[in-house]
Amino acid sequence: MPARPSLKRVPRATFLGRAIAGNLGALIVGVKYFIDPNRITLLYPHEYIKLRQGYRGYIVLIFDKCISCASCARICPARAMKMVTMEVKDKKLNRAMKKKYPVINYNRCIFCGYCVDVCPTEALYHVPYHDLVYLNMQDMILNVEEFQKEPEFVTAKEGVPVTYVFDEKRGLVKVSVEESSNQGSSSQPAGGGGSS
């Protein structure tokens, strides 16, 4: 004969009991954080999260490595990457010829990184930041010359790089990158690893 489960009856709380218990619980949490604050809010742009190498941020083209295969434009699910025809001088043949090179429209880009992954010559790479500001939407459509330059990350010049580490007592704690590297292996970095 199978064991018969027994149900434990929980006394039903009244509306007044729930209200008092809820408010009391909120007050206790407030007092706890007043005594021992653990503020993890990022004060952007005075601070910014230092992302690891390999984070899928903005994409940069290495012009000399591109073989015009158009794999990047074909695989792009958001149709952010297009091929444009340019006249270039072929060094081996020593004559002018037309080749196609990729350009990107950051209005459409979803930073999936398929274009970087599929490139057979590694002519595309990511930079580890993605939070740049453009003044208008037209500036987000890059031509071949602009696509070859790493975008300027102004926050890196003005702000303090921070990271989040896990502390046994306090949970997530925001520390500067220098402080984090000094702590060594006692704490583990939490998050900020990007999508790769």
Side-chain angles (χ1 to χ4, degrees):
M1 185 171 177
R4 194 168 177 182
S6 63
L7 298 176
K8 184 179 176 185
R9 286 205 163 262
V10 178
R12 194 170 195 175
T14 62
F15 172 75
L16 191 60
R18 283 195 306 260
I20 290 172
N23 287 329
L24 196 60
L27 278 172
I28 290 169
V29 170
V31 169
K32 176 187 163 193
Y33 282 101
F34 180 76
I35 294 169
D36 184 20
N38 182 21
R39 297 186 179 93
I40 60 171
T41 305
L42 186 71
L43 303 173
Y44 187 86
H46 305 296
E47 297 172 334
Y48 66 93
I49 298 174
K50 180 75 174 176
L51 300 171
R52 294 181 188 156
Q53 192 65 32
Y55 185 87
R56 293 183 177 188
Y58 277 82
I59 301 161
V60 180
L61 169 71
I62 304 172
F63 187 81
D64 293 334
K65 284 187 170 182
C66 183
I67 56 172
S68 305
C69 67
S71 298
C72 52
R74 274 187 265 137
I75 203 166
C76 182
R79 297 183 185 176
M81 199 163 282
K82 303 280 182 199
M83 299 300 285
V84 295
T85 304
M86 286 183 61
E87 192 165 306
V88 293
K89 186 173 182 180
D90 192 311
K91 293 174 185 171
K92 290 181 183 175
L93 302 174
N94 197 20
R95 65 183 171 102
M97 58 187 300
K98 291 185 177 178
K99 286 182 76 175
K100 291 191 171 188
Y101 290 96
V103 293
I104 193 162
N105 179 354
Y106 280 119
N107 290 314
R108 290 176 161 264
C109 183
I110 57 174
F111 300 98
C112 63
Y114 288 171
C115 54
V116 176
D117 293 342
V118 78
C119 183
T121 60
E122 298 181 352
L124 298 170
Y125 67 95
H126 288 284
V127 291
Y129 45 88
H130 65 277
D131 48 350
L132 302 179
V133 176
Y134 289 94
L135 296 176
N136 58 58
M137 295 181 78
Q138 189 61 37
D139 291 347
M140 297 177 78
I141 303 170
L142 306 185
N143 59 29
V144 175
E145 286 78 27
E146 293 166 336
F147 197 24
Q148 296 175 60
K149 299 175 190 167
E150 281 198 12
E152 190 177 352
F153 190 31
V154 179
T155 310
K157 296 176 183 172
E158 299 173 353
V160 177
V162 297
T163 186
Y164 292 94
V165 294
F166 182 74
D167 185 72
E168 290 289 332
K169 286 184 178 176
R170 303 176 69 196
L172 280 183
V173 179
K174 181 178 67 177
V175 294
S176 70
V177 170
E178 294 172 5
E179 190 178 331
S180 170
S181 60
N182 291 339
Q183 288 179 355
S185 62
S186 62
S187 56
Q188 298 175 343
S195 55
S196 61

